[in-house]
Amino acid sequence: MSTPTPSTASSTASASSPSPSPTTPCDMNGGDTDPAAELERIQERYEAAGPAPSRLRVLSIEGTDPIGGAGTMADMKAFTAHGVYGYAAVTSVLAQNTQGVSAIVNLEPAFLLAQLKAVSEDALIDAIKIGMLGTPELVDAVRGWLGDLLERYRREGRRAPTVVLDPVMYAKSGDRLLTDEAETALISLFGLSDIVTPNTRELAALAGHPGSTPDSYEEIEHMAQTLAARHGVAVVAKGGGMALRGDPSCTDILAEPGLGTDGGVRITRLEGRSIRTDNVHGAGDTLSSTLAALRPQYDTLAEAARAARTWMNGAIAAADGLEVGTGHGPIDVTWRHSPTGLRFTEDYWHRTAAIRQRIESMDFIARMLDGTLPLEDFSYYLHQDDLYLQDYTSLLAQASARARTIDDRVFFAKAASFGVREGLDLHRTWFAAHGFDAAHIPMSQATAAYIGHEHRIADMLSYPALVSVVMPCYWVYSMVGSILRRRAEDDHMDLDTHPYGPWIRMYADTEFSAKTLQELRICDRLARESGHDEYELMMEAALGSTEHEYRFFDQALRRAR
């Protein structure tokens, strides 16, 4: 019961460079790839990953902070805030507070290694945040362990964990945290890392300008570009130092090697507002642990980094209310919580495995493909779809009215105004061509039940739940259309002469796939913004609609004659 609907560009909350966003094999953020193939690759990736645990699992390798604003303590809070489960291996024990660091005890490398192995030999790891490593020996211990872990995951066919390296060299107070030898050794970890997150002072040191700090964002871009090109690692250069020096903005710089012109480094500015506060203790640690938690949840690093920058704005804005300490107080890492670190659409995909299998193998679908489905039964199905779509328009209009962004509003408004008409036109053309008169056929119980489910969800006045209740109409139909088209191609069928060719083409074409991707993007974004109860309501709505989709297809062959 789905309808083709016009797509719109997805919104972004922050400015970026003019160069286009990368399109990964499973990118739901647009690009030049064929949307139908892109949607199939997303489904294949979800399928290959297998059923996911309720939360992603992220490891912090860090020092401590008894005041709770930085290091391992901040990482654990950030992991919880972003809906992931946190492991921790402690590298150093610090005596510090909001005024500075008074003592550091670096743990023995053998003991750090024992902690790391205790985690990796017993549990799987989806992402890793590496922070303070105070001695060359600690760096060596982490490098050896991490290299072995990545190799083992490769042999076992597991997805490699995202590795975020925060080159902690200086405390917020300016205190130096590493020896000269440790700073040199730290660079050896770049080749095993996906993302490096230096602050401006650390960036300058790593780019070959120790003792200095960049004076402009252009200088930060140049240093980040140099570092990314030299080591082949993505760099998120933290711009908080510029804000502390009075700059009206707080912009992070993302440098991605291999994605720029002619394979060079692409630079993206991640804009954020400058917030007047001295309470930024632990901001750097929290940004890197946030990236480690968020990166597996997004298709591109740029998207994850923007989300991290936006979330950090809120944490910094809420810092003054904590009233912790008399120096640089901590940011409020618990200002907003995510229900889970899973992507909503991936969670839905795994939860619907059984019902999707039932849909794929049902007689109605098989007989539609081989042409043995009676025309009368297909016409009955189309008539029920006709009745459904006339009501579905009201749901799309409600979604448009409740939308939180202009892009969402336009997407659902066009769907309600024009998209439904395309489906209805297909029905009317079919009825006229085959002399089918539906005037005497009432709405079926299956159709009424589906409509009732959707309106029950709509009456709860939750925009995310409303969006998710209409989502299966897109995804299930796109999935069925794609399956039928692929099977028809494998059997060398001619859809031009196939009795149900127009229907198969409508739901397997590029345009409909693009709109399905847009709907999935909206669901994922709203789920990330929701609390636990609303996330579960979204899932309940989508799962219910999927079950109704099965019954809707099935009714044509099971109706009373």
Side-chain angles (χ1 to χ4, degrees), residues 294-313:
L294 292 183
R295 180 62 188 95
Q297 303 179 42
Y298 288 85
D299 293 297
T300 68
L301 174 55
E303 186 184 11
R306 286 191 186 99
R309 175 70 270 169
T310 300
W311 186 87
M312 287 294 297
N313 284 344

Side-chain angles (χ1 to χ4, degrees), residues 21 25 42 58 61 140 173 175 179 210 214 232 235 305 308 317 324 329 343 349 384 393 478 503 520:
S21 295
I42 290 169
V58 187
I61 306 174
D140 291 342
S173 58
D175 294 307
T179 64
V235 176
V324 173
R343 193 192 305 257
W349 182 260
Q384 294 302 321
T393 302
S478 187
W503 189 96
L520 300 187

Side-chain angles (χ1 to χ4, degrees), residues 19-100:
S19 53
S21 295
T23 301
T24 66
C26 301
D27 184 6
M28 280 201 281
N29 297 302
D32 298 327
T33 59
D34 171 37
E38 187 178 324
L39 185 58
E40 288 194 28
R41 284 194 292 269
I42 290 169
Q43 295 168 178
E44 289 169 0
R45 188 190 74 178
Y46 288 174
E47 203 66 39
S54 60
R55 299 188 184 280
L56 294 169
R57 298 142 301 187
V58 187
L59 170 63
S60 164
I61 306 174
E62 255 287 16
T64 66
D65 175 15
I67 208 74
T72 304
M73 289 68 176
D75 289 350
M76 292 299 106
K77 293 171 186 174
F79 292 163
T80 300
H82 294 296
V84 304
Y85 183 85
Y87 312 128
V90 175
T91 64
S92 307
V93 178
L94 282 72
Q96 69 169 319
N97 55 27
T98 63
Q99 298 181 55

Side-chain angles (χ1 to χ4, degrees), residues 103-235:
I104 301 174
V105 175
N106 292 309
L107 300 185
E108 289 296 324
F111 185 67
L112 172 59
L113 187 57
Q115 295 180 74
L116 295 171
K117 288 183 175 180
V119 175
S120 62
E121 292 176 359
D122 185 50
L124 295 177
I125 304 170
D126 298 301
I128 301 170
K129 179 270 177 88
I130 303 173
M132 180 181 173
L133 298 174
T135 69
E137 292 77 17
L138 289 172
V139 174
D140 291 342
V142 171
R143 183 177 62 248
W145 169 83
L146 181 56
D148 290 344
L149 179 75
L150 296 177
E151 174 59 24
R152 174 161 68 86
Y153 276 30
R154 186 194 64 77
R155 289 197 314 269
E156 295 173 353
R158 300 187 187 280
R159 187 186 304 177
T162 298
V163 179
V164 179
L165 173 61
D166 186 17
V168 179
M169 300 163 66
Y170 306 96
K172 188 67 63 182
S173 58
D175 294 307
R176 188 176 182 184
L177 300 175
L178 301 187
T179 64
D180 290 337
E181 295 79 7
E183 289 186 11
T184 301
L186 192 63
I187 296 175
S188 67
L189 285 173
F190 285 18
L192 297 175
S193 303
D194 299 292
I195 309 163
V196 178
T197 61
N199 61 29
T200 52
R201 189 173 179 182
E202 292 158 349
L203 175 66
L206 293 169
H209 306 282
S212 68
T213 55
D215 294 323
S216 66
Y217 285 114
E218 289 73 22
E219 195 172 352
I220 294 176
E221 287 184 3
H222 176 71
M223 290 182 179
Q225 185 175 30
T226 298
L227 198 61
R230 182 182 299 162
H231 299 285
V233 65
V235 176

Side-chain angles (χ1 to χ4, degrees), residues 367-372 430 488 493-502 504-505:
R367 296 181 69 180
M368 186 193 301
L369 177 65
D370 64 23
T372 62
W430 172 271
M493 294 181 178
D494 182 3
L495 290 182
D496 288 334
T497 58
H498 192 287
Y500 307 121
I504 295 173
R505 278 210 173 96

